[in-house]
Amino acid sequence: MVKKDMEIVKKYQKEMFLLGRANALLNWDQEVYMPEGGIKGRAEQSAFLSKLGHDRATSNVLFTSLKKLMKSRTIGKDKVMVDKLYKGLCKSRKIPHSLVEDLSRTTMIAGPAWRKARKKNDYSVFAPYLQKIIDLKIKEAKFLGFKGHLYNGLLDDYEEGMTVEELKPIFEKLKKGLIELLRKIKKSKKYGKKLKLLGRKYDAEGQKFFVEDVVVRMGLDMKKSRIDLSEHPFTTRFGVGDVRITMAYRDDPMFAFLSTVHEAGHALYESNLPVKHEYDILGDAPSIGLHESQSRMWENNVGKGKAFWKYYFPLFKKKFKLSGNFEDWYKEVNSVFSGYIRIESDEVHYCLHVILRFEIELGLLDGSIKVKDLRDVWNSKFKEMFGIKPRNDVEGVLQDVHWSFGSVGYFPTYAIGTMYASQLYNQMKKELKGIDKEIGKGNFSRVQKWLKEKVHKHGSLYLADEIVKKVCGEGLNPEIYLKYLNNKYGEIYRF
Amino acid sequence: MVKKDMEIVKKYQKEMFLLGRANALLNWDQEVYMPEGGIKGRAEQSAFLSKLGHDRATSNVLFTSLKKLMKSRTIGKDKVMVDKLYKGLCKSRKIPHSLVEDLSRTTMIAGPAWRKARKKNDYSVFAPYLQKIIDLKIKEAKFLGFKGHLYNGLLDDYEEGMTVEELKPIFEKLKKGLIELLRKIKKSKKYGKKLKLLGRKYDAEGQKFFVEDVVVRMGLDMKKSRIDLSEHPFTTRFGVGDVRITMAYRDDPMFAFLSTVHEAGHALYESNLPVKHEYDILGDAPSIGLHESQSRMWENNVGKGKAFWKYYFPLFKKKFKLSGNFEDWYKEVNSVFSGYIRIESDEVHYCLHVILRFEIELGLLDGSIKVKDLRDVWNSKFKEMFGIKPRNDVEGVLQDVHWSFGSVGYFPTYAIGTMYASQLYNQMKKELKGIDKEIGKGNFSRVQKWLKEKVHKHGSLYLADEIVKKVCGEGLNPEIYLKYLNNKYGEIYRF
């Protein structure tokens, strides 16, 4: 009986994964190659596959088997799988169909409204849609009925096990530390210098060489991957043997290069997840935050590090005929500047952007912030944290797409991932003696192997924080990240 | 009641089409971009979507609704749709599940066996698999129980309504006419001259220019299409707004150029099929033969014609710095030569390759040809028709992939399409005065519009032969094609 129910559970998961991956290809193709005439048809194809996946996810057959298995003495990995699936299904079954449909209808029109608002540079065009979304997300959070802050049920969708109660003091400590660090940086004589090496156009052909070189050095097997062009870089897995990334060229070569390093970090994680769980939930990452830790460790801790540029700077210098020395280059790659846009932010400002959104989301959920006031709230909070005020809505409250999708609770994962990244990096440096020397020779293979062994291979057998605890001896901790930043930028800005 | 059943019928079709198009993207991607590591996962994804489509196609709900509708007084297009679907379902319901599975299992391993046989250049490696396939196809044909020759049920899968009884005398007339024409050509002093202009390497960059130029002139809207590289050129529709072709470069520029013209002919048909039937059977072409007529009319009648090269030769001459005159070029593009391979064949030999396969398929089905003797049968028949004998199996009996798929009855559609193409071309020239002049100026738009109006817009509301009859006043007729060839090659080879 248990065996039969377990078979049903595995069959349903496999079908969901197969549909999900076919759908991922529909989306990938849409971003990368689809002619514009295909949009309408593609939407129908994708919606239909989503529906088939949803039918399976919400099937009574699956739920009945899971309920039986919950009562039986399942052990080991099967138990983790059953618990996880059962928890997820219980969550989604708490939300009435009418609410799901309402949210889906609302976000369908909120996307175009957000784009229109951006075009007009006017938040008020988007506000009514956001109001509806927030109202519905509040309802959703109430139905979920998580302990503690209303936000917890939403946050759990992206960062399983994390709560506002745990996260808030961490973010407060982080915010304080970052603002203090920024104060020191901005006092430095080295601050605010114009870019001399990076502030010009680099040709795409030269950039291409480095993009293709770095992913292979990082350990991406190009027989199981590929790089294509898209407006926004992203990573998709179609199977453990087919994980692809996308990229875009800009004048600034660091955009293509470091966003590729970032995506390749995601891709290595996806490629190294346990093959035997390819078609079940244990073969996925346990949280968005942990996924982000992989991309951000490669992008920031490694990719903006001294050792990394010891290897790459001479090659960049030669390829692009640069005049300038290593110190200048390293400083420019890590130059700190006050900007309005999260995704263009340097390492020091980045988490402040995230904390701003976290605070706003909490306020929207508990009613202390009103949607109609959001432009002003955003701008004054921004001024308070960054010392500058957005000049318009596109560089302010309208900059991110997430809310228009109905994603509330996603933003914190960026900062969680960033902190985890530093914790893992710190631990790796302790364990892998001489790793900087290897990186300095362009040999990154031990980094990849270490991450695979410590993080990737577990899939979602443990929660994100449990994995970090197993590796580093403690869960999420802002101190390590702050220390890393203080050391690095103290050296660059001489304080 | 009728309304409800009709809704069910349309819903099921739409779901099948959506699944089919998602699956088409899985296959397109596999041929064009997929990294090799993706093969295993892709096979599972594709098999699952196929299964979901098959579940719908064979659903009792659909069949019950169709049965009810067959008894009701459905009219107009709905009646054609219901009749077509009902006929198709009755066909497939005649074949026992065990046979379908047996065929699927056999073809699954026959493909690799065929490739292995080709690698070893040894038919005997493939023969046991082919034996099994032929045995199963004979069983299938018996279950179908079509009137007349056993082959009719199989042929009907690709060329609905066509029969051996109708086709055999047509192919005999065609064969006689082609052999007679070849006799005249080979007697000509102009025959057998070495290629001077085409027998060398043309750079891919130059070829690319012409490939991209010609599809636009033909009328392909590049906002609704794209061209990618694949080993074998093919066309796929993901929706009326997204029909893509693929191509490959070889030294000989005519391969890329004319195969693109061929695929663009298919793509124009797919793009012009009736939009309101995008998700039902009436929005498809009625037969493979008629589809092939569109590609072959563009490739042969137009693309190897004088008017076409009046426009393109000066451009080729300039781009590739050719020395030579128009007459030489036109003759080389249309040079007739005895070769072993169907897909490399000239216009005159082409249908003989097809007739050879047709005769063999008939013999295999009625038992007059044995699978074990097929190499010898092929070679002696080839010698008889072409005057030369294949030197090995790869250029003989192992050259086509079709049988390894279990496709028996497909080959005739190539010759049917070729004949239809000339009939349509002949009629077009009568109706569109001055069209050669327009083509000579690189303006092909009236050709496209005429084909859309006469052929494409009907979808499968009529059978292929009915459409040709509506346009040309008569159905399949080899005389028009033979006359076209005699005129054209009589002028080239001076007889």
Side-chain angles (χ1 to χ4, degrees), chain B residues 37-166:
Chain B
I39 289 175
K40 219 177 122 199
R42 184 55 47 88
E44 297 226 39
Q45 294 149 20
S46 182
F48 184 57
L49 292 200
S50 297
K51 183 199 166 296
L52 292 178
H54 184 76
D55 288 350
R56 278 153 184 81
T58 55
S59 136
N60 281 321
V61 177
L62 174 62
F63 192 61
T64 306
S65 286
L66 282 171
K67 267 195 297 194
K68 279 196 237 159
L69 288 166
M70 285 298 289
K71 282 178 199 149
S72 74
R73 287 188 302 169
T74 326
I75 53 162
K77 292 190 178 179
D78 279 355
K79 181 169 163 44
V80 181
M81 186 194 294
V82 168
D83 286 352
K84 255 183 138 62
L85 288 167
Y86 183 73
K87 185 197 152 192
L89 270 193
C90 287
K91 265 188 89 168
S92 61
R93 289 172 87 93
K94 281 184 188 159
I95 307 166
H97 264 292
S98 58
L99 179 56
V100 174
E101 281 167 19
D102 218 355
L103 250 170
S104 154
R105 261 194 306 273
T106 308
T107 52
M108 196 91 81
I109 51 173
W114 175 74
R115 278 184 290 276
K116 194 175 163 197
R118 277 175 66 87
K119 219 170 180 175
K120 297 195 163 185
N121 207 345
D122 182 0
Y123 168 69
S124 68
V125 174
F126 180 54
Y129 299 89
L130 183 57
Q131 183 67 61
K132 186 84 198 282
I133 287 169
I134 295 298
D135 290 346
L136 293 169
K137 295 305 279 190
I138 289 173
K139 273 191 196 166
E140 183 185 329
K142 282 182 180 162
F143 278 116
L144 290 175
F146 271 49
K147 260 191 251 167
H149 198 287
L150 204 53
Y151 190 77
N152 286 343
L154 306 180
L155 177 59
D156 185 79
D157 280 351
Y158 310 105
E159 200 64 30
E160 194 181 348
M162 187 54 72
T163 63
V164 172
E165 290 71 26
E166 189 181 342

Side-chain angles (χ1 to χ4, degrees), chain A residues 55-257:
Chain A
D55 288 350
R56 278 154 184 81
T58 56
S59 136
N60 280 321
V61 177
L62 174 61
F63 192 62
T64 306
S65 286
L66 283 171
K67 267 194 299 193
K68 280 195 238 161
L69 288 165
M70 286 298 290
K71 283 178 199 149
S72 74
R73 288 187 303 170
T74 326
I75 53 162
K77 293 190 179 180
D78 279 355
K79 182 169 163 41
V80 182
M81 186 193 295
V82 167
D83 286 352
K84 254 184 139 57
L85 287 168
Y86 184 73
K87 184 196 153 194
L89 270 193
C90 287
K91 264 189 89 169
S92 60
R93 289 172 88 92
K94 281 184 190 160
I95 307 166
H97 264 291
S98 57
L99 179 57
V100 173
E101 280 166 20
D102 219 355
L103 251 171
S104 154
R105 259 194 307 272
T106 308
T107 53
M108 195 93 79
I109 51 173
W114 175 74
R115 277 184 289 277
K116 196 176 160 196
R118 277 176 66 87
K119 221 170 178 175
K120 296 194 164 188
N121 208 345
D122 181 1
Y123 169 67
S124 68
V125 173
F126 179 54
Y129 299 89
L130 183 57
Q131 183 65 61
K132 185 84 197 280
I133 287 170
I134 295 298
D135 291 346
L136 293 169
K137 295 305 281 189
I138 289 173
K139 275 191 194 167
E140 183 185 328
K142 282 182 180 162
F143 278 116
L144 290 174
F146 270 50
K147 261 191 250 166
H149 198 286
L150 205 53
Y151 191 77
N152 286 343
L154 306 180
L155 177 60
D156 185 80
D157 280 350
Y158 310 105
E159 201 63 30
E160 194 182 347
M162 187 54 72
T163 63
V164 172
E165 291 69 26
E166 189 180 342
L167 200 53
K168 220 175 160 185
I170 291 175
F171 275 4
E172 270 158 21
K173 209 178 275 179
L174 180 60
K175 182 177 170 181
K176 215 181 127 212
L178 291 176
I179 289 176
E180 173 60 20
L181 171 57
L182 278 170
R183 206 187 44 77
K184 288 189 210 159
I185 290 173
K186 288 181 185 174
K187 270 195 346 200
S188 156
K189 280 178 196 158
K190 303 269 170 196
Y191 178 74
K193 292 270 167 69
K194 240 192 108 179
L195 299 182
K196 283 177 183 166
L197 292 163
L198 279 171
R200 63 169 185 88
K201 187 177 163 64
Y202 283 62
D203 67 273
E205 206 40 58
Q207 293 189 44
K208 187 164 184 270
F209 168 81
F210 289 104
V211 159
E212 290 176 354
D213 184 75
V214 76
V215 296
V216 173
R217 289 184 185 279
M218 286 171 70
L220 208 59
D221 177 353
M222 293 316 283
K223 282 181 185 158
K224 298 179 176 180
S225 185
R226 50 178 291 123
I227 307 174
D228 296 277
L229 298 175
S230 72
E231 203 184 330
H232 304 286
F234 66 98
T235 299
T236 325
R237 167 165 60 149
F238 305 111
V240 283
D242 184 2
V243 179
R244 308 184 194 175
I245 63 179
T246 71
M247 57 154 302
Y249 292 111
R250 299 215 182 144
D251 287 354
D252 172 10
M254 287 305 107
F255 181 81
F257 191 57

